[in-house]
Amino acid sequence: MKRVLVVDDDRLVADTLKLIFEKSGFAARAAYSADQGLECSREFSPNLLLCDVSMPGRDGLSLVDDVARELPGCRILMLTGFYSNLQSVRERSRKLSRPVGILTKPCQPLELLREAAALLATA
């Protein structure tokens, strides 16, 4: 069973995305900050990190850097509700050694699951 870690400071969003993945046959966990997400990733060892970009304190991009370094097999899917973030997220993702998916919120569950499956297929 593939493991997905959802990290979003909006608890409703994180919990909803976790449920979407669980109903689709994934083992899923939710974290509500970048620091909590990093701690959880070390314990849970996800196959996929689904991470919001804009969060208070450490942002999702710094979490992505840490997870990419510590868990080289983990695929990454970034979510942003701000179209103004897209260019910087794309530029930063190009520096990573693996493909990174980028979706804007809100996104449809089928689109999210399709993108997740495509990233996991590259593992």
Side-chain angles (χ1 to χ4, degrees):
M1 181 179 290
K2 295 288 185 180
R3 296 174 308 283
V4 177
L5 174 60
V6 178
V7 182
D8 198 308
D9 61 304
D10 184 327
R11 287 179 177 265
L12 180 62
V13 170
D15 292 341
T16 300
L17 293 173
K18 176 182 171 277
L19 285 172
I20 288 169
F21 279 99
E22 285 176 340
K23 289 183 182 271
S24 297
F26 292 84
R29 290 195 186 168
Y32 310 109
S33 71
D35 289 333
Q36 186 183 30
L38 182 58
E39 185 178 312
C40 188
S41 71
R42 290 172 174 156
E43 171 201 329
F44 186 54
S45 193
N47 303 104
L48 177 70
L49 170 67
L50 178 61
C51 183
D52 187 21
V53 172
S54 298
M55 294 185 284
R58 279 184 5 129
D59 68 9
L61 293 170
S62 68
L63 173 61
V64 164
D65 288 340
D66 289 340
V67 169
R69 184 179 57 257
E70 291 186 24
L71 299 169
C74 182
R75 296 300 180 237
I76 298 167
L77 181 55
M78 300 294 299
L79 290 174
T80 183
F82 302 102
Y83 290 93
S84 60
N85 284 349
L86 283 175
Q87 188 60 30
S88 66
V89 172
R90 284 188 181 118
E91 288 172 9
R92 194 109 167 241
S93 69
R94 287 186 196 112
K95 296 175 185 173
L96 297 173
S97 61
R98 72 198 68 186
V100 174
I102 304 166
L103 292 174
T104 54
K105 291 193 258 181
C107 63
Q108 295 297 315
L110 287 177
E111 179 185 9
L112 175 65
L113 292 167
R114 186 173 38 250
E115 183 70 21
L119 282 170
L120 289 168
T122 66

